[in-house]
Amino acid sequence: MASFAVSGARLGVVRPGGGGGSARSGGERRSGVDLPPVLFRRKDSFSRGILSCAGAPGKVLVPGGGSDDLLSSAEPTADTPVQSEELEIPDEAELVVEESASSSTAEASSAVEVEEKSEPSEVIEGTGKTETDGVAVKSAPLVEEKPRVVPPPGDGQRIYQIDPMLEGFRNHLDYRYSEYKRMRAAIDQHEGGLDAFSRGYEKLGFTRTAEGITYREWAPGAHSAALVGDFNNWNPNADTMTRNEYGVWEIFLPSNADGSPAIPHGSRVKIRMDTPSGVKDSIPAWIKFSVQAPGEIPYNGIYYDPPEEEKYVFKHPQPKRPKSLRIYESHVGMSSPEPKINTYANFRDEVLPRIKRLGYNAVQIMAIQEHSYYASFGYHVTNFFAPSSRFGTPEDLKSLIDKAHELGLLVLMDIVHSHSSNNTLDGLNGFDGTDTHYFHGGPRGHHWMWDSRLFNYGSWEVLRFLLSNARWWLEEYKFDGFRFDGVTSMMYTHHGLQVAFTGNYGEYFGFATDVDAVVYLMLVNDLIHGLYPEAVAIGEDVSGMPTFCIPVQDGGVGFDYRLHMAVPDKWIELLKQSDEYWKMGDIVHTLTNRRWLEKCVTYAESHDQALVGDKTIAFWLMDKDMYDFMALDRPSTPRIDRGIALHKMIRLVTMGLGGEGYLNFMGNEFGHPEWIDFPRGPQSLPNGSVIPGNNYSFDKCRRRFDLGDADYLRYRGMQEFDQAMQHLEEKYEFMTADHQYVSRKHEEDKVIIFERGNLVFVFNFHWSSSYFDYRVGCFKPGKYKIVLDSDDGLFGGFSRLDHDAEYFTADWPHDNRPCSFSVYAPSRTAVVYALAEDE
């Protein structure tokens, strides 16, 4: 019998047919109480808002009375597949609820009945510092216990004050907000509110009490279902499940006579269903852990319920949200200098202290949700509630997050709710044998470019699944927020493909807008900010959707930040030409082209540029010279000198002007020379041609942090500059300063000068001209000193500036500024000046 270890438990790989029934004590399966259906009517026939109802015809997956929940067992219906039924969302006054024999309050009539919890919601700063791995860390903040509440909807009208141009699209926006309010009202009435609705994991999937284990699964298309696994020797007749009228299958497994659970921790489990597509074994949709056994391709669901002594206990409170975000984007698997898949534990011990030392205050982790295809970068999710087992156990991940909190780092999760893996064996696709279970049917349910499935955000149970998923990661693992992937794809039925957004508001508010998806985003932001006030929500939107980062109560979508995706695209465009042709005004316009009162996280290059076939900024600038001329004991080349200088300037001007937050993908801080090439074999295409693989090598699927640390390589200087840049922002908080003014964009001189906060930034992009006595306008008079110089020898520069020099302002207006001072501006150099009193 093959085996492998998971969190102290040994997993036996038992082959089917090895025995008889279940090795547990006898007992009857527990049944709940039937729920009455709710009928929805609406006179407003033009509405697009739809709740997909996948229960029996005439039944809606929203309970109306005070019975147990929709997850209760009932006698199975006929073996014919139950088709989805679409019912329009009602106005609050038009809900018609059938009479229930056991009516109760809305709080008690939740479809997923859960106990109310009171969780910490406010963080109070402590004082003093501690030392952790040689890194000075502020003492842990104290956490104040108090109830958390999702605020009620507002009137949604403030967006028109913020952006008067929205008035022309009031019909669409008011309709959007009415749909959001209608969904909130329906959830409040029938689920007891977002708090209860978002705790679906407390009823669906596996739950355990002292009496035994209950397993529930929403699979309305299945004719029959049985729970199979190592615990019952994969016998499909041993533990058959019962179906209620809403398509939820259920089974109760009493504890063994000695009190041990009927399913051992760490053992494999699946649900076997007879479906319209045939008999299939699927990993439970709400599974908390799944693994790939050695030599097998599909993953196996794992019943994960470690004993108390093996569960990780968080020791450190979550940090308060910082004023400005400096995010280090990372991928656990490729975070080792060695050619291997790295672990949560190694990332905790080796990478987190590095991130802290570099001056970042948040780590954003990719590929957390389980994904069977490693090379998908984590974006083809198969098991939404399970952390990737490639890197370790759930307890290992919790330990990583707790360590980050000890260091004062926020941990953001790259969450994927925009699409799902196309896999049918270990994913959600065709889970109950139908095409429309979690997803839209037909072409609308398939993303042709990503080869993945697209969620139906108008489905009640899809909302429960996704909202509960977001909460699960915040609650169970103490993540501090999310970067929502692929939001542009969610918000438009064309998914942003083959569409050039010009900024015309008609592109955002029309028939191409998926209102259901936008309403989901409003709901999940309500949930995040209501129950976790310190959590951060970042949305990846390339379209520039207005209202994206305005609070939901004011009529917005509710994100805290938008990823400023136009910036890396602009740098790619510029790097394809000589810097002699760069337009200073074009650079400034791209960096500052942001919507008022909507914060952005800016970045100079994306993680996609690091993939094989693409180019990072460093590779665009230095190309193959990086392989031969980065050693300090060898002469440099003009290409290397130019590349190092511009690499630093690009990053600083991006941070200086581009937004209220900054993001860097791991390794790019020192110009990582190697691309990312996931291990892969040859791939045969439909036309008969073959794409060669890399013999499943991990050689290019790692991060060579040793290069940035080597004091004999020029990479070290680039890393030192990035570290100094992060610490400069930490000290002066210029990204979130109210004062920002661009005083010069000189095309002939190739000079950009701007003020942000109390700092003055001077960029000379000219390739050969250095300027003596160059006049710099400023707002505040006084004595200025250099606080950052990209030409510093420590950063691989030529040390052309005297850092002890003092610069006194004169009452000489310049560039529309009331005073000015003179500087020496070397070519291809960026210098930051601060008032001496602020140093």
Side-chain angles (χ1 to χ4, degrees):
M1 180 176 71
S3 61
F4 46 101
V6 173
S7 185
R10 195 162 179 81
L11 305 182
V13 183
V14 182
R15 302 302 174 192
S22 172
R24 55 178 169 81
S25 59
E28 294 296 320
R29 288 185 288 273
R30 179 174 299 169
S31 296
V33 182
D34 290 348
L35 289 175
V38 177
L39 304 181
F40 287 89
R41 294 191 307 224
R42 189 214 306 261
K43 300 172 185 176
D44 186 7
S45 60
F46 72 89
S47 171
R48 295 180 62 252
I50 290 176
L51 281 181
S52 291
C53 184
K59 306 294 186 180
V60 180
L61 290 176
V62 184
S67 50
D68 188 11
D69 51 47
L70 72 79
L71 307 170
S72 57
S73 294
E75 289 300 314
T77 58
D79 285 344
T80 54
V82 181
Q83 298 299 321
S84 295
E85 186 170 292
E86 294 184 340
L87 297 179
E88 295 175 343
I89 303 175
D91 294 318
E92 292 87 341
E94 295 176 342
L95 288 173
V96 180
V97 184
E98 289 189 2
E99 201 65 40
S100 170
S102 56
S103 61
S104 63
T105 63
E107 287 78 7
S109 65
S110 167
V112 180
E113 225 171 81
V114 289
E115 295 180 2
E116 295 295 330
K117 291 185 178 180
S118 176
E119 298 288 349
S121 65
E122 186 169 338
V123 185
I124 305 172
E125 286 288 356
T127 56
K129 292 185 177 181
T130 59
E131 287 290 330
T132 304
D133 293 339
V135 181
V137 184
K138 290 182 180 178
S139 64
L142 303 176
V143 178
E144 179 182 315
E145 294 275 352
K146 71 179 189 180
R148 301 174 299 188
V149 179
V150 179
D155 61 11
Q157 297 299 298
R158 187 167 177 261
I159 54 174
Y160 304 113
Q161 301 172 24
I162 295 171
D163 186 353
M165 290 182 65
L166 295 173
E167 282 286 354
F169 301 88
R170 180 181 280 274
N171 286 343
H172 178 99
L173 290 164
D174 285 353
Y175 164 68
R176 183 179 85 180
Y177 204 73
S178 72
E179 290 301 294
Y180 153 73
K181 291 175 71 175
R182 187 170 288 112
M183 288 302 303
R184 279 292 304 269
I187 291 170
D188 289 346
Q189 180 173 355
H190 303 295
E191 299 283 357
L194 272 176
D195 185 4
F197 191 46
S198 62
R199 295 207 299 265
Y201 48 81
E202 294 181 358
K203 282 288 184 179
L204 285 153
F206 291 95
T207 58
R208 183 171 66 86
T209 64
E211 290 75 28
I213 296 170
T214 301
Y215 169 56
R216 298 185 181 100
E217 195 74 71
W218 175 60
H223 306 319
S224 64
L227 181 62
V228 296
D230 294 331
F231 75 100
N232 64 7
N233 290 320
W234 301 90
N235 183 351
N237 300 315
D239 296 290
T240 58
M241 304 174 71
T242 57
R243 179 193 190 278
N244 73 4
E245 59 188 311
Y246 303 103
V248 176
W249 296 87
E250 178 178 334
I251 188 171
F252 175 72
L253 305 176
S255 298
N256 296 321
D258 61 359
S260 61
I263 307 175
H265 162 60
S267 60
R268 299 179 302 166
V269 289
K270 285 190 176 182
I271 179 173
R272 178 164 297 176
M273 294 175 284
D274 182 9
T275 77
S277 301
V279 176
K280 59 173 296 197
D281 288 355
S282 294
I283 295 177
W286 298 69
I287 199 74
K288 305 303 189 299
F289 196 50
S290 62
V291 300
Q292 186 180 38
E296 294 186 6
I297 295 177
Y299 275 60
N300 287 292
I302 299 296
Y303 177 73
Y304 193 86
D305 186 20
E308 290 300 319
E309 63 271 16
E310 293 182 17
K311 293 181 179 178
Y312 187 84
V313 178
F314 286 90
K315 305 175 183 65
H316 305 283
Q318 295 174 248
K320 286 195 70 170
R321 183 198 304 195
K323 187 176 181 181
S324 58
L325 280 177
R326 300 183 302 278
I327 304 170
Y328 196 84
E329 185 183 25
S330 55
H331 184 289
V332 171
M334 63 179 70
S335 63
S336 172
E338 301 174 25
K340 65 178 185 179
I341 295 179
N342 206 11
T343 64
Y344 295 125
N346 184 271
F347 189 93
R348 175 196 65 206
D349 297 337
E350 302 295 333
V351 182
L352 285 179
R354 164 183 294 275
I355 295 170
K356 179 67 179 179
R357 184 174 66 252
L358 288 173
Y360 292 86
N361 59 14
V363 54
Q364 178 178 301
I365 307 182
M366 308 168 65
I368 290 295
Q369 294 164 293
E370 189 59 88
H371 49 289
S372 62
Y373 182 41
Y374 189 44
S376 73
F377 237 146
Y379 291 120
H380 280 207
V381 175
T382 45
N383 310 122
F384 282 77
F385 288 83
S388 179
S389 58
R390 288 183 179 87
F391 319 134
T393 69
E395 310 313 303
D396 294 336
L397 175 58
K398 292 175 183 178
S399 176
L400 182 162
I401 294 170
D402 199 26
K403 178 67 173 182
H405 292 162
E406 181 187 2
L407 293 170
L409 296 170
L410 266 65
V411 186
L412 307 178
M413 176 178 166
D414 197 344
I415 195 168
V416 184
H417 282 181
S418 51
H419 62 128
S420 175
S421 169
N422 209 23
N423 289 18
T424 56
L425 292 178
D426 46 22
L428 292 180
N429 187 21
F431 183 85
D432 70 346
T434 68
D435 188 49
T436 57
H437 186 199
Y438 283 94
F439 312 108
H440 287 291
R444 190 179 177 190
H446 294 263
H447 197 294
W448 61 266
M449 180 174 284
W450 295 345
D451 188 29
S452 56
R453 295 305 310 270
L454 299 173
F455 287 106
N456 177 6
Y457 303 101
S459 165
W460 191 265
E461 288 306 304
V462 170
L463 288 179
R464 188 197 307 277
F465 182 83
L466 294 177
L467 290 170
S468 298
N469 185 245
R471 183 168 186 175
W472 169 254
W473 295 106
L474 296 173
E475 192 78 30
E476 181 72 13
Y477 290 89
K478 309 300 181 189
F479 277 98
D480 301 292
F482 301 112
R483 177 262 199 190
F484 280 83
D485 170 70
V487 176
T488 302
S489 174
M490 297 172 67
M491 294 192 298
Y492 307 97
T493 55
H494 52 59
H495 312 301
L497 300 176
Q498 299 177 331
V499 174
F501 289 98
T502 65
N504 185 312
Y505 277 33
E507 297 167 349
Y508 307 115
F509 310 119
F511 290 110
T513 306
D514 189 336
V515 175
D516 289 340
V518 177
V519 168
Y520 164 69
L521 293 171
M522 297 165 76
L523 291 171
V524 76
N525 279 312
D526 259 356
L527 172 76
I528 293 168
H529 296 122
L531 300 182
Y532 306 88
E534 292 296 322
V536 177
I538 304 169
E540 184 198 35
D541 171 41
V542 71
S543 73
M545 163 73 81
T547 76
F548 192 74
C549 294
I550 294 176
V552 175
Q553 287 71 23
D554 297 331
V557 182
F559 285 100
D560 296 304
Y561 297 87
R562 178 205 312 272
L563 276 181
H564 201 346
M565 300 178 71
V567 174
D569 290 342
K570 173 56 67 174
W571 286 123
I572 291 174
E573 175 189 323
L574 293 175
L575 288 167
K576 291 179 179 178
Q577 55 187 272
S578 169
D579 50 312
E580 298 177 20
Y581 302 105
W582 293 3
K583 300 295 182 183
M584 301 299 100
D586 190 24
I587 293 173
V588 170
H589 172 74
T590 300
L591 292 172
T592 59
N593 185 24
R594 305 193 295 278
R595 297 190 183 280
W596 185 50
L597 296 183
E598 297 196 42
K599 295 185 290 186
C600 287
V601 170
T602 190
Y603 54 119
E605 53 190 325
S606 73
H607 56 243
D608 290 333
Q609 291 174 241
L611 289 169
V612 63
D614 209 330
K615 292 183 180 181
T616 62
I617 288 178
F619 207 84
W620 274 109
L621 290 167
M622 294 178 278
D623 205 62
K624 62 182 184 342
D625 280 18
M626 297 176 72
Y627 299 122
D628 298 314
F629 300 101
M630 293 299 281
L632 289 172
D633 62 354
R634 301 183 63 179
S636 182
T637 67
R639 176 179 283 175
I640 292 294
D641 291 342
R642 171 184 179 269
I644 291 176
L646 289 178
H647 190 272
K648 293 178 290 186
M649 295 181 72
I650 287 170
R651 299 172 75 79
L652 181 59
V653 75
T654 298
M655 174 182 262
L657 277 180
E660 292 73 29
Y662 178 81
L663 178 142
N664 167 69
F665 179 66
M666 61 178 187
N668 286 347
E669 67 273 13
F670 60 84
H672 198 285
E674 293 181 341
W675 58 82
I676 297 167
D677 190 8
F678 285 93
R680 54 191 170 85
Q683 180 183 3
S684 299
L685 299 180
N687 61 9
S689 61
V690 176
I691 300 175
N694 61 8
N695 199 27
Y696 299 99
S697 170
F698 286 90
D699 186 61
K700 295 295 188 293
C701 195
R702 54 177 171 158
R703 293 281 91 179
R704 295 289 305 276
F705 293 122
D706 54 309
L707 300 179
D709 294 341
D711 55 11
Y712 56 88
L713 296 176
R714 291 184 168 87
Y715 297 109
R716 175 68 176 270
M718 298 163 74
Q719 179 170 283
E720 291 285 348
F721 177 78
D722 191 85
Q723 178 172 324
M725 185 173 76
Q726 304 304 323
H727 285 286
L728 181 77
E729 206 290 322
E730 180 180 27
K731 179 177 181 179
Y732 292 98
E733 296 183 329
F734 58 81
M735 284 198 297
T736 53
D738 292 331
H739 177 63
Q740 176 175 307
Y741 187 89
V742 179
S743 60
R744 173 158 288 224
K745 300 171 287 185
H746 201 286
E747 300 300 346
E748 292 182 9
D749 292 349
K750 299 297 180 187
V751 168
I752 296 172
I753 299 175
F754 61 88
E755 304 158 28
R756 198 152 188 199
N758 292 331
L759 301 180
V760 179
F761 293 73
V762 178
F763 290 80
N764 179 8
F765 279 95
H766 204 284
W767 52 96
S768 61
S769 295
S770 299
Y771 306 110
F772 292 90
D773 294 326
Y774 202 81
R775 180 74 36 190
V776 175
C778 62
F779 179 69
K780 290 189 175 182
K783 180 176 70 175
Y784 284 81
K785 297 201 70 176
I786 294 174
V787 291
L788 183 64
D789 168 22
S790 70
D791 197 48
D792 192 323
L794 177 65
F795 309 143
F798 297 98
S799 301
R800 288 172 285 181
L801 290 168
D802 180 4
H803 293 177
D804 294 326
E806 297 175 337
Y807 303 85
F808 294 89
T809 61
D811 295 331
W812 183 348
H814 186 72
D815 288 341
N816 295 317
R817 311 313 287 147
C819 50
S820 60
F821 58 96
S822 293
V823 302
Y824 171 48
S827 60
R828 284 184 179 146
T829 296
V831 185
V832 184
Y833 299 87
L835 282 168
E837 62 194 55
D838 295 332
E839 281 192 284

